[in-house]
Amino acid sequence: MKILAADISSAYLMADTKEMMYTRLGPKFGDWAGKLAIIRKALYGLIGSCAQLHHHLCAELEKIGFKPSKGNPDLWMRDASDHYKYVTKCIDGILIISKDPKAILDLFQKPKGPYKFKGVG
């Protein structure tokens, strides 16, 4: 078994916000300064953003056949007949344990999947 760790780039922007949020644009927005903008994507630091990222990542794991552990909702596994493949997440990072963890990462990574990764190793 091999282990691969990676951080999801711009992770929170992958998920939509659950709450209705807005902000007033500052002077850096030029002609748009002072106008209201609706926040549609989960942003780091917003209440609920981590939960929305969790739901987004869970949906992606289900799409590729992983099932959540009964004891830990952040530990996912898939039977590969001769071994189990594991994916676990912590905030915006993932850890993959498998005979070929790169193959699993490739399913998540653009263009096949929704994510870009940094710090892969």
Side-chain angles (χ1 to χ4, degrees):
M1 299 285 270
K2 296 178 183 174
I3 299 172
L4 185 119
D7 288 328
I8 302 170
S9 296
S10 305
Y12 289 96
L13 296 176
M14 298 295 122
D16 294 326
T17 59
K18 190 175 182 181
E19 304 88 1
M20 178 65 143
M21 307 219 32
Y22 68 93
T23 188
R24 190 166 304 276
L25 299 176
K28 291 183 179 180
F29 287 89
D31 293 341
W32 291 46
K35 294 186 179 185
L36 293 179
I38 296 173
I39 298 171
R40 296 187 343 201
K41 292 293 184 178
L43 301 175
Y44 184 80
L46 292 179
I47 294 172
S49 290
C50 191
Q52 290 306 104
L53 174 61
H54 173 79
H55 293 302
H56 190 272
L57 186 57
C58 290
E60 294 300 319
L61 284 163
E62 286 177 350
K63 283 181 190 175
I64 59 172
F66 280 82
K67 303 284 184 216
S69 155
K70 292 180 181 178
N72 182 345
D74 289 328
L75 175 63
W76 290 69
M77 52 195 127
R78 184 171 81 181
D79 188 358
S81 70
D82 63 335
H83 73 287
Y84 272 87
K85 299 176 180 185
Y86 298 96
V87 175
T88 187
K89 80 165 202 62
C90 182
I91 310 197
D92 62 349
I94 63 170
L95 186 69
I96 303 169
I97 303 166
S98 176
K99 287 185 177 179
D100 185 9
K102 179 78 170 83
I104 296 169
L105 187 72
D106 288 344
L107 295 174
F108 284 117
Q109 202 153 227
K110 290 185 175 186
K112 293 178 188 172
Y115 304 114
K116 283 179 63 179
F117 292 97
K118 59 186 177 185
V120 177

